[in-house]
């Protein structure tokens, strides 16, 4: 069934900008892996394996995707003075649309136009810099992805 003219407009109006139009699903294809730099002062997924995720979104009006400020997971050893940063590269609409952000310890946001946002692929790199090096242990970074 194809909706045209007033019927399609009426359906969009009835649905409004409700959460039904703003639902999204984040699927992490590769969780990422941190590796230690040669000088021992940095752990980074750019040295290991980047996290790759796909966001499926049904918001016909467009979406804003937000990556939270990166942080060490609570189970990681305590590292006073460590700097946790992330960088991303995103593509959509078969690579015709894109956004990227360099390393920062702040959050990132970008907007994807309506319909083009059906599938957005994000490559995320996290890194932790500690001038004093790292104690033995398992280190995990965390970044939250949200779409509105």
């Amino acid at each position: 069934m194809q909706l045209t003219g007033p019927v399609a407009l009426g359906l969009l109006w009835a649905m409004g900008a409700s959460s039904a139009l703003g639902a999204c699903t984040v699927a992490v294809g590769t969780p990422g892996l941190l590796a230690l730099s040669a000088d021992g002062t940095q752990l980074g997924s750019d040295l290991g394996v980047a996290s790759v995720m796909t966001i499926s979104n049904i918001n016909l009006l467009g979406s804003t995707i937000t990556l939270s400020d990166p942080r060490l997971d609570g189970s990681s050893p305590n590292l006073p003075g460590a700097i946790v940063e992330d960088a991303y590269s995103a593509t959509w609409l078969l690579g015709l649309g894109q956004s990227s952000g360099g390393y920062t310890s702040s959050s990132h946001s970008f907007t994807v136009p309506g319909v083009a946002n059906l599938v957005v692929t994000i490559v995320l790199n996290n890194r932790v810099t500690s001038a004093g090096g790292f104690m033995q242990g398992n280190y995990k970074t965390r970044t939250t992805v949200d779409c509105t």
Side-chain angles (χ1 to χ4, degrees):
M1 174 174 103
Q2 183 178 9
L3 299 175
T4 59
V7 175
L9 185 58
L11 180 60
L12 285 174
W13 177 80
M15 294 174 74
S18 69
S19 59
L21 282 178
C24 70
T25 302
V26 178
V28 178
T30 306
L33 179 65
L34 301 174
L36 187 63
S37 64
D39 67 1
T41 62
Q42 191 174 89
L43 284 170
S45 59
D46 56 339
L47 303 168
V49 178
S51 178
V52 179
M53 63 195 83
T54 302
I55 299 175
S56 301
N57 194 333
I58 60 170
N59 188 333
L60 300 175
L61 305 175
S63 301
T64 298
I65 298 175
T66 303
L67 306 171
S68 72
D69 53 318
R71 57 204 175 278
L72 279 173
D73 185 90
S75 64
S76 297
N78 186 23
L79 280 176
I83 299 168
V84 183
E85 300 172 297
D86 66 11
Y88 78 94
S89 174
T91 58
W92 56 89
L93 198 59
L94 302 174
L96 295 177
Q98 61 186 7
S99 178
S100 62
Y103 280 102
T104 181
S105 55
S106 301
S107 63
H108 299 273
S109 287
F110 60 95
T111 302
V112 182
V115 182
N117 64 353
L118 294 177
V119 177
V120 178
T121 301
I122 299 175
V123 176
L124 179 69
N125 277 301
N126 283 10
R127 72 180 179 195
V128 182
T129 305
S130 175
F134 296 88
M135 298 179 289
Q136 185 173 349
N138 293 319
Y139 291 87
K140 297 178 186 176
T141 59
R142 182 174 303 257
T143 299
T144 305
V145 179
D146 185 34
C147 58
T148 53

